[in-house]
Amino acid sequence: MKFKMRALRVAVLGCLLMSGAAASATDIEVLHWWTSGGEAKAAAQLKSIMESKGYTWKDFAVAGGGGENAMTVLKTRVVSGDPPAAAQIKGPSIQEWGQEGVLANLDPVAKIEKWDHMLPAAVANVMKFDHHYVAVPVNVHRVNWLWVNPAVFQAAGATVPKTWDEFPAAAEKIRAAGYIPLAHGGQPWQDFTVFESVVLGVGGADFYRQALVDLDQDALRSDTMKRAFEVFGALRADIDPDAPNRDWNQATTMVINGKAAMQLMGDWAKGEFTQAGKVPGKDYECVAAPGSQGAFTFNVDSLVMFQQDADDVAKGQQVLASAVLSPAFQKVFNLAKGSIPVRTDMDMASFDACARKSAQDFQAAAQSGSLVPSIAHQMAVPAATAGAMQDVVTQFFNTPDAPVERALAQLAQAAQVQ
Ligand code: BGC
């Protein structure tokens, strides 16, 4: 009897996913932090797909790059017993939420649509809690990018730096020509984003993994980490005095407008170039952050579903998950967002040059063992540990002349926070 009921429910769900029509407009509330121009355009694609399926998209956008604000607001809502249907939550945090016993089960849609075959195993595993799907992956962002304005480089007679050793000379020429070498927003998550790219470029993927994923104490206190802090500290001289508190997309605009030469940021920045009508290879360049060619720091966005009392909302969650992984959505969303599809079977021909390079580099890095999770974007270690490490990094960056030895010791200590 139980089995029959389950089979019936799966059959009904199958019809629902195919017809896509909800009986009456059910609200599906989705918490996210996609509020910049490119991000909002990408999010609007999901809204319109859900509306075409008869649902009302209840937008729960909490501004703040990197998502710290959104996570604070989410905790309050869940604690008060009123979680949204879906929320943008990533990496190890999915497990932390799973342990709270508040997540919904997406196995029905995952089974029908064969997610286990559609998704890379490494991604699928992150989306499961206790062997059940509780989240749907949206995309793959690459973090270790350097965004370049070639006209500024040309005007300054500088060459795009391929290593951190080459960086100071290029920055010096750019500064001398009257431009800002590095567009940056002084917010802790942006400092940490730059820091992880420096660690990758200075130490390589194996070192990055030892230090920032395995949190190996020797690696964290090593000479390589010392060098990474030195390189990172030297970047203070390459950013402008108005950087504190600047949002990441405003920093991207400085590169777009030719006020600054470069930005170290994940490829959500490309969404801003696209939104401004800029073309890669002509108006801007996307190159690997210095020293990190061949490596790929990944950041997979995902929507986690929370248990709901209302049956129609619970069904809507399965419909939402199905829409997110549909080829049509994967294309329009990722074109606007700057990321690449998480489905491995997508044709990349209609994507821009940066996305095609990202997809190629992703495959190559996966094969060479140089694919590493972003610590700054909640992919690598538990939130509490990453938060403690981020505090050390941002304090170091914002304290001119802060001793490197002290930062090393503090980072190693922060890595033990659980
Ligand atoms: C998210 C991206 C978002 C970026 C800036 C990252 O942590 O993964 O989706 O665009 O933060 O807000």
Side-chain angles (χ1 to χ4, degrees):
M1 185 60 185
K2 210 170 165 196
F3 174 77
K4 269 196 191 151
M5 279 304 287
R6 195 181 312 142
L8 186 68
R9 251 184 265 134
V10 169
V12 169
L13 176 64
C15 295
L16 188 71
L17 294 178
M18 284 184 23
S19 75
S24 63
T26 299
D27 279 358
I28 299 295
E29 188 179 29
V30 183
L31 174 123
H32 61 90
W33 64 90
W34 292 325
T35 54
S36 77
E39 290 174 331
K41 184 163 182 222
Q45 309 294 337
L46 193 52
K47 176 179 184 219
S48 76
I49 291 194
M50 286 308 280
E51 285 176 354
S52 75
K53 291 182 183 293
Y55 288 88
T56 308
W57 173 271
K58 201 165 162 205
D59 202 41
F60 187 2
V62 181
E68 250 168 63
N69 300 347
M71 289 305 102
T72 308
V73 176
L74 175 66
K75 276 178 202 148
T76 317
R77 281 284 301 270
V78 179
V79 167
S80 65
D82 181 27
Q88 186 187 351
I89 300 177
K90 308 186 290 182
S93 292
I94 297 176
Q95 303 305 311
E96 293 171 24
W97 280 106
Q99 272 147 18
E100 300 294 319
V102 288
L103 301 187
N105 188 331
L106 289 175
D107 285 348
V109 59
K111 205 166 274 174
I112 292 173
E113 300 193 343
K114 303 194 172 53
W115 289 7
D116 279 344
H117 299 284
M118 186 200 291
L119 299 172
V123 174
N125 290 340
V126 178
M127 302 300 134
K128 291 178 186 174
F129 174 71
D130 198 17
H131 309 291
H132 299 292
Y133 278 102
V134 290
V136 59
V138 182
N139 59 2
V140 179
H141 271 301
R142 183 186 195 177
V143 182
N144 61 315
W145 284 115
L146 181 71
W147 303 94
V148 168
N149 184 317
V152 173
F153 268 86
Q154 208 186 2
T159 313
V160 178
K162 289 202 169 58
T163 64
W164 284 109
D165 286 343
E166 290 173 14
F167 196 92
E172 191 45 55
K173 281 192 177 168
I174 291 160
R175 206 180 359 262
Y179 301 94
I180 298 162
L182 193 63
H184 183 65
Q187 296 173 344
W189 75 271
Q190 292 189 61
D191 297 341
F192 207 25
T193 299
V194 171
F195 177 74
E196 72 171 32
S197 281
V198 172
V199 171
L200 182 66
V202 167
D206 286 344
F207 176 77
Y208 176 103
R209 200 175 289 115
Q210 280 162 16
L212 300 184
V213 184
D214 300 341
L215 306 176
D216 178 87
Q217 285 287 313
D218 292 340
L220 285 162
R221 294 171 191 269
S222 66
D223 286 348
T224 308
M225 188 54 95
K226 187 169 171 222
R227 166 90 183 120
F229 266 107
E230 284 163 0
V231 168
F232 179 57
L235 296 178
R236 295 183 192 111
D238 300 324
I239 64 181
D240 66 311
D242 296 334
N245 281 323
R246 177 188 286 139
D247 286 331
W248 66 270
N249 51 322
Q250 289 168 344
T252 308
T253 301
M254 291 164 64
V255 181
I256 294 176
N257 293 344
K259 205 170 163 198
M262 304 173 269
Q263 182 183 19
L264 283 156
M265 187 48 67
D267 42 21
W268 44 93
K270 197 190 72 192
E272 302 305 299
F273 284 96
T274 308
Q275 182 77 348
K278 302 295 178 190
V279 177
K282 182 174 152 263
D283 306 312
Y284 71 99
E285 305 281 350
C286 51
V287 298
S292 74
Q293 298 79 0
F296 190 117
T297 329
F298 66 86
N299 169 26
V300 175
D301 282 315
S302 45
L303 293 178
V304 170
M305 307 294 163
F306 283 86
Q307 281 162 21
Q308 300 289 316
D309 293 336
D311 227 29
D312 53 345
V313 180
K315 278 189 194 123
Q317 290 175 318
Q318 310 280 327
V319 174
L320 175 65
S322 164
V324 163
L325 282 176
S326 67
F329 173 76
Q330 286 285 306
K331 185 172 164 189
V332 287
F333 179 87
N334 286 304
L335 277 173
K337 187 73 172 65
S339 36
I340 55 172
V342 68
R343 288 180 70 125
T344 46
D345 59 353
M346 297 278 299
D347 179 10
M348 294 300 293
S350 55
F351 281 76
D352 59 72
C354 296
R356 290 201 302 272
K357 179 169 162 50
S358 186
Q360 272 165 13
D361 288 358
F362 181 83
Q363 298 295 347
Q367 269 160 24
S368 68
S370 308
L371 191 58
V372 290
S374 163
I375 186 168
H377 294 275
Q378 303 111 44
M379 290 284 113
V381 302
T385 317
M389 293 171 77
Q390 177 177 282
D391 287 349
V392 171
V393 166
T394 206
Q395 206 196 4
F396 170 80
F397 197 60
N398 290 291
T399 313
D401 304 326
V404 167
E405 295 289 354
R406 191 179 68 194
L408 272 191
Q410 287 176 336
L411 190 69
Q413 245 174 357
Q416 290 171 327
V417 170
Q418 279 174 354

